[in-house]
Amino acid sequence: AKEAGRGQFHFYTEAMNRHTQAKLALENSLHNALERDEFVVYYQPQASLLSGRLVGAEALIRWRHPERGLVMPDEFIPIAEENGLILPIGEWVLRQVCRQIRAWLGDGLPPLTIAVNLSARQFRQEDLVERIRGIVEEFAVDPACIELEITESTAMEQADITVELFRALRAAGFCIAIDDFGTGYSSLSYLRRFPVDRLKIDRSFVLDIADDPNDAAIAHAVIKMAASLGLKVVAEGVETDAQRQFLQERGCDYLQGYWYGKPMDAEAFAAFVRTALGK
Ligand code: C2E
Ligand code: CA
Ligand code: CA
Ligand code: CA
């Protein structure tokens, strides 16, 4: 038993080392990814549940890794958040989105609202508001075309400062959404004080919405509460028609999910928009 125990320990550390080494290798190549121009922004369409029409998209980063192929954000955003690279990466995403909005307008596409994720570190930058204002001005993009997504847990950390920041961002013309709503611990009193435009119901509640009475009750409660506060609700991760129907019947405003469209590169998204709008 002792032998086996030691063997297992050995195995465990080796597995750990492999994991740590893989993470280190990824972190190393992450340092050069920006200058090597390896990131790409995908766009996932959002639609109105009432009219069925396309209303905008969320910008989602991917990493075209020279050896590993397309790396998903869940694999590198947490590392970038830890080592601070998220600051230049986050600004690159916003800049890329603004550049793309300009290009689409030039190509005759109608103005759409594009949601951009702001990480916790970005959100805590002293000069956040000036920085992002500077970027949209650089491309002469209307801030109203940009929706900034902040997760519920980031917003609730230092909620008083959040209220001030949201005010300043909205005064500058940006839209604000609370992301991953339902996974943090918002108190209703704070939610009332947050000057935001939309709540995004986390995918984990949408998943079993049509089968699990608890998730259904939570989603329904969020929709009703948001309506009473004058906020719009976006349901994330809608994959099935049953989910869509449930949300529509309960007055959810918008949906985002594979049912309507997967995240796609800028070119595919432009084609999607033209088809959706019949142009
Ligand atoms: P998120 O902000 O909650 O983004 C939604 C995620 O759900 C995206 O994953 C999207 O592809 C996925 N999704 C949407 N609809 C469906 C569906 O119907 N089914 C399933 N299974 N998944 C769906 P993605 O693109 O892998 O991004 C993961 C997370 O990485 C994001 O979660 C966000 O937290 C982070 N992220 C992505 N891009 C950025 C960025 O530019 N900046 C920052 N700070 N974080 C980002
Ligand atoms: Ca998001
Ligand atoms: Ca989300
Ligand atoms: Ca999420």
Side-chain angles (χ1 to χ4, degrees):
K2 219 175 174 183
E3 288 294 299
R6 209 177 298 143
Q8 261 166 18
F9 179 70
H10 187 64
F11 175 78
Y12 178 68
T13 47
E14 254 185 19
M16 280 275 288
N17 280 338
R18 266 202 304 277
H19 176 80
T20 312
Q21 269 165 19
K23 201 185 147 188
L24 271 176
L26 205 64
E27 172 154 17
N28 275 335
S29 48
L30 194 58
H31 280 279
N32 305 314
L34 258 183
E35 60 198 56
R36 289 185 185 157
D37 207 19
E38 290 171 356
F39 293 117
V40 52
V41 177
Y42 274 42
Y43 297 87
Q44 184 177 30
Q46 301 174 333
S48 158
L49 271 160
L50 194 65
S51 68
R53 282 177 72 88
L54 174 80
V55 292
E58 177 176 5
L60 295 159
I61 193 171
R62 271 96 182 90
W63 179 10
R64 285 198 176 124
H65 193 281
E67 285 121 41
R68 300 187 39 181
L70 205 65
V71 182
M72 299 303 279
D74 282 336
E75 267 195 82
F76 64 91
I77 291 290
I79 301 176
E81 180 76 34
E82 220 175 282
N83 66 19
L85 278 174
I86 190 66
L87 296 178
I89 293 174
E91 290 200 356
W92 178 85
V93 172
L94 182 59
R95 202 167 263 118
Q96 190 61 25
V97 165
C98 288
R99 187 177 290 128
Q100 193 61 68
I101 288 175
R102 267 279 133 241
W104 282 333
L105 288 173
D107 290 345
L109 253 62
L112 293 167
T113 303
I114 308 294
V116 175
N117 292 284
L118 276 193
S119 77
R121 267 218 210 209
Q122 281 178 284
F123 196 60
R124 289 192 204 101
Q125 271 184 304
E126 285 280 334
D127 51 354
L128 170 80
V129 183
E130 297 95 276
R131 277 176 174 276
I132 58 180
R133 272 179 69 157
I135 294 172
V136 296
E137 276 169 17
E138 211 181 297
F139 293 92
V141 163
D142 181 357
C145 291
I146 304 286
E147 179 168 77
L148 302 167
E149 294 194 359
I150 292 99
T151 65
E152 179 186 24
S153 45
T154 300
M156 284 307 295
E157 237 172 72
Q158 303 182 293
D160 293 315
I161 299 176
T162 297
V163 172
E164 292 309 311
L165 266 175
F166 282 177
R167 279 213 189 101
L169 289 167
R170 280 188 113 206
F174 295 98
C175 298
I176 296 175
I178 303 282
D179 201 1
D180 298 350
F181 189 76
T183 59
Y185 302 93
S186 286
S187 70
L188 200 56
S189 62
Y190 268 111
L191 198 57
R192 250 187 44 234
R193 289 179 53 203
F194 285 156
V196 301
D197 302 278
R198 306 207 288 184
L199 295 183
K200 298 189 78 177
I201 306 182
D202 193 65
R203 186 153 64 88
S204 56
F205 297 107
V206 174
L207 192 64
D208 290 324
I209 219 171
D211 315 304
D212 182 336
N214 286 324
D215 288 348
I218 292 171
H220 195 188
V222 170
I223 293 166
K224 281 196 294 190
M225 179 196 66
S228 74
L229 294 174
L231 307 176
K232 301 290 184 192
V233 178
V234 187
E236 295 190 312
V238 179
E239 293 187 4
T240 68
D241 200 55
Q243 291 165 343
R244 180 206 53 81
Q245 199 178 334
F246 177 100
L247 291 159
Q248 189 166 31
E249 283 169 2
R250 280 154 190 84
C252 182
D253 302 285
Y254 306 103
L255 69 76
Q256 179 183 342
Y258 296 172
W259 181 82
Y260 186 63
K262 288 197 170 182
M264 49 196 118
D265 67 24
E267 201 184 332
F269 182 70
F272 183 96
V273 173
R274 290 206 167 87
T275 307
L277 303 181
K279 290 180 181 176

